[in-house]
Amino acid sequence: MKPLDLDVFPCRSDNFGVLVHCPESGVTASIDAPELDAIVAAAERRGWKITHIFTTHHHGDHVEANLALKEKYGCEIIGPREEALAIPGLDQAVADGDSFDFGGHTVRVIETPGHTAGHVCYHLPDDKLLFAADTLFALGCGRLFERPATDMWHSLQKLAALPDETAVYFGHEYTLSNARFALTIDPENERLKTRAAEIEAKRQKGEFTIPTTIGLEKETNPFLRAADPSIRRNLLMEGSSDEEVFAEIRKRKDHF
Ligand SMILES: [Fe+2]
């Protein structure tokens, strides 16, 4: 089976658009639908016809172009059952553990409540791809709008359990701010220091930091590292639970 082709492009102020295309079957999925014009331009540049939208959650900057894309392409919209009423044009509601076929490629649904109550990520195990939207960012995680820190911690643990080499496509270019914050939590982490310097250089050149990998995030993302002894020592939380340490890191980032 030929590998999937991906096209990643900026949308709105800091969202990413991602198109995933199967060269054998011809199907093309838009990961969320942040901005009609940018998505159509990318599809036309590639000569791809959008057949699916994989919706991760109901926020406007992820569903805004759902109906317009559906009208233009007749595409099928797949999205979280927990948020079904808030997803414009939803055709197929999915929940944790569901899997479906995308042009011969298996897509698994992972529910990751936290940022919203029903947020889902899409995992393509054979292609080693994860579309994590606003649950897991490079060196960050989504803000907790609809569920408590404990839920988000458990959601992130599900993603951290995926193979290290899994490529992670996330919803926003927040990486530079995330890197600066991560250094305040985990200042002795050599791998993080190196990565932060690379990110500074990339962003100065106007380059994007997408994708990342599960392995790299486990080594450097403080939101996945609440169990790390040196982070716990820095936060004076050696006797606390992982959930409590995670909640403290998330709270500090909210005020960073
Ligand atoms: Fe969001």
Side-chain angles (χ1 to χ4, degrees):
M1 186 174 281
K2 281 191 201 158
L4 294 168
D5 291 325
L6 271 74
D7 196 287
V8 182
F9 48 94
C11 289
R12 308 170 75 97
S13 58
D14 51 36
N15 283 75
F16 285 118
V18 181
L19 295 180
V20 186
H21 175 76
C22 170
E24 278 170 26
S25 63
V27 293
T28 302
S30 178
I31 306 303
D32 286 323
E35 184 186 348
L36 178 65
D37 291 350
I39 295 167
V40 171
E44 288 182 351
R45 176 164 42 77
R46 292 287 201 146
W48 298 343
K49 181 182 171 296
I50 295 169
T51 52
H52 298 73
I53 298 173
F54 297 169
T55 299
T56 60
H57 67 295
H58 67 84
H59 284 164
D61 61 321
H62 292 257
V63 300
E64 184 186 271
N66 271 21
L67 294 179
L69 286 173
K70 192 171 188 172
E71 193 173 323
K72 183 171 173 64
Y73 294 103
C75 51
E76 181 184 2
I77 301 179
I78 296 164
R81 189 169 66 200
E82 283 290 309
E83 299 181 1
L85 295 176
I87 311 288
L90 184 70
D91 295 298
Q92 189 188 341
V94 290
D96 197 46
D98 287 352
S99 50
F100 58 90
D101 176 75
F102 173 67
H105 299 252
T106 299
V107 183
R108 280 182 56 237
V109 178
I110 305 174
E111 266 173 15
T112 55
H115 179 68
T116 64
H119 192 298
V120 297
C121 298
Y122 295 95
H123 178 222
L124 285 71
D126 302 328
D127 301 278
K128 299 183 170 58
L129 289 171
L130 176 72
F131 299 102
D134 292 1
T135 295
L136 176 64
F137 297 124
L139 294 177
C141 77
R143 270 181 192 262
L144 304 177
F145 288 121
E146 296 181 12
R147 282 292 180 268
T150 308
D151 290 18
M152 184 60 129
W153 171 251
H154 289 287
S155 295
L156 291 170
Q157 292 306 294
K158 290 188 195 174
L159 303 185
L162 299 177
D164 283 353
E165 63 274 23
T166 307
V168 181
Y169 289 79
F170 43 90
H172 293 270
E173 180 61 63
Y174 294 153
T175 312
L176 185 55
S177 155
N178 288 345
R180 290 172 180 167
F181 172 74
L183 287 169
T184 70
I185 299 295
D186 196 9
E188 289 102 54
N189 183 335
E190 291 302 325
R191 186 72 196 84
L192 172 61
K193 286 192 234 176
T194 310
R195 188 178 180 199
E198 289 164 3
I199 288 162
E200 292 271 356
K202 259 196 171 168
R203 294 302 294 141
Q204 252 172 27
K205 286 188 274 182
E207 292 172 11
F208 297 114
T209 60
I210 195 170
T212 179
T213 64
I214 291 292
L216 184 55
E217 293 310 310
K218 282 182 354 198
E219 283 181 56
T220 52
N221 184 330
F223 295 97
L224 296 181
R225 293 170 52 74
D228 181 75
S230 76
I231 289 183
R232 291 166 154 268
R233 221 170 19 248
N234 287 335
L235 297 176
L236 306 176
M237 294 185 77
E238 286 173 284
S240 303
S241 67
D242 292 349
E243 286 94 335
E244 287 166 337
V245 175
F246 170 77
E248 174 63 21
I249 298 171
R250 185 58 257 179
K251 198 171 83 195
R252 290 184 184 213
K253 179 65 167 73
D254 290 343
H255 302 291
F256 181 69

